[in-house]
Amino acid sequence: MKFNNPLYENEELTYQDVFLFQNYFDWYSRSEIDVKPTFNFWTQLPIVSANMNAVTGKRMAETIARYWGLWVLPQDMNISTLEEIIKHIKNASIKYDTPITVKKENTIRDAMWIIHKRSHNRVVMINDDNEPIWIFSENDMKNLDQFSLLWNLKTKKVITAKGWISNKEAYNLMDENGISSLPIVNEQGKLIGILTKKDCIRHEIYKPTLDNNWNLNVAVAVGINWFDKVETLFNLWINIFVLDTAHWYQKRMIESIKKFREIYWKEPVLIAGNIITPEWTKALIEAWANWVKVWIGPGAMCTTRMQTGVWRPQFSAVYKCALEAKKMWWFIWADGWIKEPRDLALALAAGANHVMLWTTFAWTYESTWDIKYDEDGLMYKENYWMASKKAIELRNWKLDNFEMEKRWLYREWISKSKIYLREWFESVGDIIDTFTTGLRSSMSYVWASNLEQFCEKAIIWVQTNAWFVEWTPHGRIRK
């Protein structure tokens, strides 16, 4: 990457301050472009879901894994919860989404409570042998008494397909019958998953991220006191760890990386962060971290820069840290402030190998919290960050009020906000489709066949705020 004007090389720049310039394009289709990360460890997309309590849990982890991406379970989870989630993910179908099920004795209220936990938005009624009987959408249950038994609803006979059906055959079967979701059964007719028309198309493009045992892969974040937790996780076939804290450039943290390598040597992948300077990047890599996570300060919910005065504009932080990491034949993760596809493209142009999405994934069906409705009936989810008052409460729930009050003195970040589900951004699949399509288009403008070329050929220009506003939609945006 280079700047069109070298004078901007040492400016401190955000993603909104910069844009890419076009080059000559000599191909026919964007489908020829490879968006696989330059240094690939099991993933085929450079997208990671953040290790936030309000973002990544069981649903998020298994969904992103089916679409080539990577996810990081939060460090606040206790070991029993982690074991339960990891076992679920490792046993989940690598192709079909997990169905939401009810039985004859369940009511409409029961079904409506769980229907939005998955983006397929269907509830399958099963019998005691786990065989599908009926399938319901939200429209089937609207304007009916919420305590009515689902068994009393009159619907069409459920159409199912066996697990070996091809994507095209499944799509055509749904098309012919005017349905958008298809329960998948095994040879004995027992329910094993659910497939949507959109997923039929996606499975032709994306492949699952698998571990060495051909199960869905998963990464886990741990804090400074990681010793007992990592041993348990390692025995559960976890091979990617994120050592995560707000400020990694300190003696105790460097020693933590070295201790990790003394015990586990080269086998697990280790990502450490967060940092914002080349010097810090070098120190963590020399301590034997594989990747370094770059981010301090950016983000509307983060108050660190206002409380401490410490931060750095994210584009410059990624660019400078990536230059240092590449000198040492390693890479960085760009962590945070990714709101639109253009931000993903700019982070990768600046030299990131993977990019971590936070709030963008928080407003999906698959994020951890349940759907809520505002006074206008619009769906939203609650979001909070990891040093906020709410996070401290959840992390230290066993403490008495006196001790909790002392912990609150050190809180940062906003504890609660409403994140509205947006059209075309309602599910993980929608976001990955939109972001990867935007990335391929961006790479076509630069004429790069892969991400390594994209970074090499990218020319960055600096813009005024008026230019940025000119780019954005000017119409009224619905909540």
Side-chain angles (χ1 to χ4, degrees), residues 397-413:
W397 61 274
K398 291 184 178 180
L399 296 179
D400 60 34
N401 291 341
F402 181 79
E403 293 298 325
M404 185 71 79
E405 287 277 1
K406 291 199 302 186
R407 298 293 178 97
W408 284 343
L409 290 176
Y410 301 99
R411 67 184 181 271
E412 292 179 27
W413 303 3

Side-chain angles (χ1 to χ4, degrees), residues 3 36 122 129 371 384 389 410 439 467:
F3 289 88
K36 182 171 65 177
R122 294 293 185 275
D129 294 322
I371 291 286
Y384 68 94
K389 180 180 178 181
Y410 301 99
L439 177 59
W467 284 12

Side-chain angles (χ1 to χ4, degrees), residues 63-178:
T63 306
I64 291 182
R66 294 191 185 103
Y67 298 143
W68 269 0
L70 184 67
W71 55 100
V72 185
L73 294 175
Q75 68 188 62
D76 281 356
M77 289 182 178
N78 61 51
I79 196 64
S80 60
T81 302
L82 281 171
E83 286 181 325
E84 179 184 342
I85 290 176
I86 290 166
K87 287 176 181 177
H88 169 86
I89 293 168
K90 297 295 184 181
N91 289 307
S93 168
I94 65 174
K95 181 176 181 180
Y96 304 117
D97 199 359
T98 300
I100 299 170
T101 59
V102 292
K103 291 195 172 181
K104 292 180 180 180
E105 60 269 21
N106 287 117
T107 64
I108 289 176
R109 181 187 179 123
D110 297 329
M112 292 298 289
W113 177 252
I114 60 176
I115 195 167
H116 291 306
K117 288 183 178 291
R118 300 275 174 172
S119 61
H120 52 71
N121 288 329
R122 294 293 185 275
V123 175
V124 181
M125 181 179 285
I126 56 173
N127 60 21
D128 291 337
D129 294 322
N130 198 36
E131 297 167 335
I133 305 170
W134 284 331
I135 184 169
F136 303 98
S137 70
E138 190 173 12
N139 286 334
D140 296 326
M141 299 177 281
K142 277 184 176 179
N143 304 318
L144 296 175
D145 186 282
Q146 62 179 336
F147 294 105
S148 299
L149 290 176
L150 284 168
W151 177 251
N152 295 328
L153 293 185
K154 303 298 182 183
T155 65
K156 294 183 292 185
K157 180 181 178 182
V158 66
I159 298 169
T160 64
K162 294 293 197 297
W164 56 78
I165 191 171
S166 71
N167 295 319
K168 188 170 184 178
E169 288 171 336
Y171 184 95
N172 289 338
L173 179 61
M174 286 184 267
D175 214 30
E176 290 163 5
N177 289 277

Side-chain angles (χ1 to χ4, degrees), residues 20 45 81 105 140 162 199 211 310 380 386 440-441 445:
L20 289 162
L45 289 179
T81 302
E105 60 269 21
D140 296 326
K162 294 293 197 297
D199 283 337
D211 62 18
V310 177
Y380 71 91
M386 301 301 290
R440 282 193 169 93
S441 293
Y445 276 110

